[in-house]
Amino acid sequence: MDIPIMLTPAQIVAGFLAVCAGISAIGAAIGWIIKAVNHVKKPNREQNERLDALEKKVAEFEGFFKADKERIEALYESNRKTQRALLALLSHGIDGNNTDEMVRAKDELTNWLIEK
């Protein structure tokens, strides 16, 4: 087995070109595979981006709704206090009594306004 391997320069160049062609073919195949995978994943990625944007908006709106709910509850409480005071005034105007109820309504309204 002492046969010497003799390669001509043309064979060396041809071998080198074959290796380069193989590397290029493998690179092109990998490029196409990556492109196909990205194409398949694109709708899911876009959907996730849209969902993230919508979830961000929902969180922002939930904050607005919470603030609005607190304001509406404050308005209801204010309305109840005012109605109680008005009822005490009407009761006093009708029969001239109920001064204690008027004092309580006044104190309640005063305290509520001070605390607010």
Side-chain angles (χ1 to χ4, degrees):
M1 294 276 230
D2 291 330
I3 302 172
I5 299 176
M6 302 287 282
L7 295 175
T8 64
Q11 290 174 333
I12 294 173
V13 170
F16 177 73
L17 290 176
V19 170
C20 288
I23 291 173
S24 295
I26 291 172
I30 290 173
W32 279 103
I33 290 170
I34 290 173
K35 187 175 180 181
V37 168
N38 285 339
H39 181 71
V40 169
K41 288 184 176 181
K42 184 179 178 183
N44 196 18
R45 187 173 44 248
E46 289 175 350
Q47 176 184 357
N48 289 342
E49 290 171 359
R50 283 195 327 260
L51 287 174
D52 290 341
L54 289 173
E55 287 173 353
K56 184 178 176 183
K57 283 184 180 181
V58 166
E60 181 182 355
F61 291 143
E62 283 177 349
F64 294 153
F65 292 147
K66 183 179 177 184
D68 289 346
K69 182 181 179 204
E70 291 171 359
R71 278 190 228 117
I72 289 171
E73 288 174 356
L75 286 172
Y76 282 147
E77 184 64 25
S78 172
N79 193 29
R80 277 194 290 274
K81 303 281 184 192
T82 305
Q83 295 298 325
R84 238 182 245 136
L86 183 62
L87 184 61
L89 281 172
L90 285 172
S91 179
H92 177 71
I94 291 173
D95 59 14
N97 294 330
N98 295 331
T99 56
D100 292 336
E101 185 179 332
M102 287 185 62
V103 169
R104 273 194 310 261
K106 177 189 175 281
D107 291 341
E108 187 177 322
L109 189 58
T110 302
N111 288 335
W112 184 80
L113 288 172
I114 290 172
E115 290 172 3
K116 185 146 171 112

